[in-house]
Amino acid sequence: MTTTAKQKVGWGTANTVAVVLAIVPVLWIVSLSFKDPATITDASFWPKKWTLENYRGIFKTSEFTHALINSIGIALIATFIAVVLASMAAYAVARLSFPGKGLLIGMSLLIAMFPAISLVTPLFNIERSLHLFDTWPALIIPYIAFGLPLGIYTLSAFFREIPWELEKAAKMDGATPYQAFTKVIAPLAAPGMFTTAILIFIFCWNDFLFAISLTSTTNARTVPAAIGFFTGSSQFTAPTGSISAAAVIITIPIIIFVLFFQRRIVAGLTSGAVKG
Amino acid sequence: MTTVSTDRAPSVDKPPRRSSAPDAAYSLSSRERWMRRAPLLPGLIFLIIVTQLPFVATLVISFMRWNALSPQNKGFAGIDNYRKVFSDSALRASIVFTIVLTVTVVLVSLLLGMLIALLLDRAFFGRGVVRTLMITPFLVVPVAAALLFKHGIYNPSFGLLNGTLTAIWNVFNGSAPQPDWLTEHPKLMIEAQLIWQWTPFMMLILLAGLQSRDKEVVQAAHVDGASPWQVFRYITFPHLRKYLELGGLLGSIYIVQNFDSVFTITSGGLGTANLPYTIYQTFFSAHDYGLASAQGVVVVVGSLIIATFALRVVSSLFEEGV
């Protein structure tokens, strides 16, 4: 295949346009977050004077710090429990055959598609009567419920790729079942579990609907809900600077995760369905 | 309600690889059969308790007259709530907008995602960096992205859109039009934000599809004198079809439920209330628990129909294609 110079220019231009459209809004957040609150409306693309004022602003009150702690804690706990439960289920799905397996998988797929809004309204009433409303478990419980099907789906795909014969081989060589699991199977399963954990973590981290519906104070409010309630320095100014700073802070961990594990995350999302 | 599609769920198509004794499970004692299911049970029981029991509660409440603002007037209402759901014109409008929003965002981002994936499928200097830059929109926390578009991009006085217009017009010494994007095109603006965010996701899935394509077939076609369009039409596109389906399915599931963008960009104003937002309003602002539950049930039934249909389409594709 030969490429003429003209074609090369064409492809290069198309690439540039696509990258600019994707990346400029992101750079704009970063730029806004470093602008002086007084000049945030000056519409210049780069800050005339770089300042950390917005970042200092959101950490000045405990509201954002609290939200950050809530976000990290809730997402980590929910992810951990969901990955443990999903691994057990995916193990059974990938390795054992038993009647009704198809039904179980279909059910978990359908639950993954269950509209979150239809769950918010009953959970609100139930959690209020159980005095769970506005606590960490109030969010952890629905997050596990939505993280689980996602986890079962991706982990089944990963587990199916593991050469389970190795486990038998290890046992024949005299390993106990425990040793066979920890020394042979666990290291093979770890990358898949880790990828799944990242996907579930991102889901919990990004959630907004449950976060604003099932919390009411800084007690359990996570960052996405907290930035929805940000106000400017007066009620007539838009809190653009603080929102941008908060957006930068909460987006950084996700970008780092994904950049490191990009290939594997795509594999996790596509292999389950496409390789079947 | 869950049995309809399960016999055709995609992951069931292929039996587990370790099939030294495929029928052994069916001759086990019932105790052993339950032992085999045991690892599945904690997750499954949890899912049923957390998602299905509340749904039963919703079902019950949907037949009740229950507004938290007048707690004395609580009782059985029959199908009144459902009648209200289907006769309310605002609600019908929100159903229509939900469909329009989902279809527009999924189709446009699939198309753009495919174009970008085709661009990135060619080897060129700095491809890795370009791909990484391309996926960043998907990584921005959705609420943050929606807030950013509202305040930072669509704002008529200092937003990026009007700023760019001014910059372009300045080159020609004219005065730029400064439309108030959100008031003039509220639906389009929500769609644009979601397309910006979802295109990278589609691109990632389609790129994985392109890279699993057999390179030799493509080369052979070139040698035989096929034009690039013919290669795309008869080789690449059929191969991508199941990836397009997968992207479309996953995208629809999430965009039908979209709440973040509608809530933050327009707060459902100017005709942009979609179904999830409407339910949220009925429940948390109007405090009409009965009506909100009936709406919730309608949404569940609707999405079950879509999900069943989607699962069937996808699994039939797998049967043909793989």
Side-chain angles (χ1 to χ4, degrees):
Chain A
M1 221 189 331
T2 51
T3 320
T4 63
K6 212 173 156 192
Q7 273 177 318
K8 257 189 191 154
V9 173
W11 286 104
T13 316
N15 265 329
T16 317
V17 170
V19 169
V20 165
L21 285 180
I23 204 73
V24 161
V26 179
L27 291 180
W28 181 239
I29 316 183
V30 177
S31 161
L32 283 176
S33 76
F34 284 109
K35 278 186 179 179
D36 185 357
T39 63
I40 204 146
T41 55
D42 66 358
S44 77
F45 192 75
W46 293 112
K48 294 203 173 82
K49 193 180 110 217
W50 292 73
T51 162
L52 287 173
E53 200 51 49
N54 293 313
Y55 291 91
R56 236 174 269 135
I58 55 175
F59 282 110
K60 206 161 54 193
T61 59
S62 63
E63 197 189 334
F64 185 73
T65 330
H66 263 294
L68 207 56
I69 296 169
N70 289 338
S71 260
I72 296 172
I74 290 171
L76 280 181
I77 296 172
T79 305
F80 179 77
I81 299 174
V83 168
V84 169
L85 293 179
S87 303
M88 290 163 63
Y91 172 83
V93 168
R95 270 209 77 192
L96 313 172
S97 60
F98 50 83
K101 190 165 99 172
L103 186 86
L104 294 179
I105 297 170
M107 227 164 102
S108 73
L109 267 173
L110 282 179
I111 289 174
M113 300 176 193
F114 199 86
I117 185 73
S118 305
L119 201 55
V120 164
T121 50
L123 273 182
F124 175 80
N125 281 328
I126 292 171
E127 293 191 343
R128 281 222 308 196
S129 56
L130 294 176
H131 301 291
L132 281 175
F133 183 74
D134 200 26
T135 62
W136 280 23
L139 291 179
I140 291 174
I141 290 168
Y143 288 173
I144 297 174
F146 279 92
L148 253 180
L150 178 69
I152 295 175
Y153 170 79
T154 46
L155 277 173
S156 311
F158 279 116
F159 283 2
R160 238 179 276 146
E161 302 294 317
I162 292 178
W164 293 99
E165 296 81 11
L166 287 179
E167 187 187 30
K168 219 187 271 173
K171 278 185 194 156
M172 284 171 91
D173 290 344
T176 63
Y178 175 75
Q179 281 175 324
F181 181 78
T182 55
K183 296 245 160 84
V184 179
I185 294 305
L188 286 171
M193 289 173 65
F194 197 66
T195 307
T196 308
I198 290 175
L199 289 174
I200 298 178
F201 184 88
I202 292 176
F203 166 80
C204 305
W205 186 257
N206 285 350
D207 170 75
F208 179 65
L209 178 58
F210 288 113
I212 58 164
S213 311
L214 301 177
T215 66
S216 58
T217 64
T218 53
N219 202 10
R221 186 178 283 159
T222 58
V223 179
I227 57 176
F229 289 105
F230 272 178
T231 50
S233 42
S234 85
Q235 86 184 85
F236 300 107
T237 41
T240 315
S242 353
I243 288 172
S244 311
V248 171
I249 292 176
I250 58 173
T251 304
I252 286 172
I254 304 288
I255 291 187
I256 292 173
F257 277 155
V258 174
L259 288 191
F260 272 110
F261 304 102
Q262 210 186 106
R263 259 167 211 288
R264 215 177 270 140
I265 287 176
V266 181
L269 282 175
T270 52
S271 70
V274 177
K275 280 184 201 145
Chain B
M1 71 183 193
T2 47
T3 52
V4 202
S5 70
T6 45
D7 51 335
R8 286 168 142 257
S11 6
V12 199
D13 292 347
K14 199 175 106 187
R17 248 205 278 157
R18 206 191 58 108
S19 54
S20 48
D23 297 324
Y26 297 87
S27 58
L28 295 174
S29 73
S30 72
R31 187 172 162 271
E32 273 174 319
R33 270 202 299 238
W34 280 107
M35 288 289 289
R36 292 205 152 195
R37 288 195 187 107
L40 254 174
L41 291 178
L44 202 67
I45 292 170
F46 181 89
L47 280 181
I48 290 171
I49 293 177
V50 176
T51 64
Q52 300 310 301
L53 288 188
F55 181 65
V56 172
T58 307
L59 210 55
V60 172
I61 297 171
S62 73
F63 289 102
M64 280 167 64
R65 192 172 55 245
W66 183 6
N67 189 317
L69 298 178
S70 53
Q72 290 84 19
N73 182 22
K74 187 173 158 184
F76 183 72
I79 58 164
D80 280 5
N81 290 321
Y82 288 92
R83 206 174 287 146
K84 236 181 268 172
V85 168
F86 289 106
S87 60
D88 185 353
S89 66
L91 201 74
R92 272 206 301 270
S94 79
I95 294 176
V96 172
F97 180 60
T98 310
I99 296 169
V100 170
L101 180 71
T102 311
V103 171
T104 317
V105 173
V106 169
L107 287 185
V108 176
S109 54
L110 267 178
L111 185 69
L112 291 176
M114 186 166 72
L115 291 177
I116 296 168
L118 287 169
L119 279 177
L120 292 184
D121 191 39
R122 307 164 62 87
F124 60 87
F125 178 72
R127 184 167 77 166
V129 178
V130 170
R131 191 183 52 200
T132 304
L133 291 177
M134 288 303 315
I135 59 172
T136 38
F138 191 63
L139 305 180
V140 178
V141 174
V143 189
L147 282 167
L148 163 83
F149 269 70
K150 180 184 181 182
H151 294 297
I153 293 186
Y154 298 148
N155 185 299
S157 61
F158 63 92
L160 192 58
L161 271 179
N162 284 350
T164 313
L165 285 182
T166 309
I168 295 172
W169 257 258
N170 274 350
V171 176
F172 304 106
N173 282 323
S175 76
Q178 300 282 293
D180 188 347
W181 298 93
L182 272 179
T183 4
E184 288 168 31
H185 311 283
K187 292 180 180 173
L188 193 66
M189 293 303 111
I190 293 179
E191 284 157 4
Q193 189 265 318
L194 284 169
I195 290 168
W196 176 77
Q197 187 142 44
W198 280 88
T199 301
F201 175 80
M202 303 302 184
M203 187 270 289
L204 272 182
I205 288 184
L206 294 173
L207 194 59
L210 279 179
Q211 287 173 347
S212 71
R213 182 179 52 157
D214 192 348
K215 290 277 178 316
E216 281 176 18
V217 176
V218 177
Q219 262 162 12
H222 275 298
V223 170
D224 290 344
S227 70
W229 168 249
Q230 283 172 322
V231 171
F232 174 77
R233 175 66 188 80
Y234 296 104
I235 300 175
T236 309
F237 189 72
H239 174 80
L240 275 187
R241 215 174 99 181
K242 60 188 174 192
Y243 291 88
L244 286 166
E245 291 282 341
L246 178 69
L249 174 66
L250 292 176
S252 317
I253 291 168
Y254 283 101
I255 294 161
V256 154
Q257 302 192 22
N258 180 276
F259 175 78
D260 309 19
S261 297
V262 173
F263 182 90
T264 39
I265 294 182
T266 58
S267 303
L270 306 167
T272 59
N274 65 349
L275 258 184
Y277 185 81
T278 308
I279 297 179
Y280 183 86
Q281 281 288 311
T282 315
F283 191 85
F284 286 102
S285 303
H287 296 282
D288 192 336
Y289 293 173
L291 183 60
S293 301
Q295 293 170 340
V297 172
V298 171
V299 170
V300 169
V301 172
S303 44
L304 275 181
I305 293 171
I306 298 172
T308 311
F309 178 69
L311 278 180
R312 270 175 197 274
V313 170
V314 169
S315 54
S316 70
L317 274 172
F318 288 131
E319 278 155 23
E320 290 168 22
V322 188

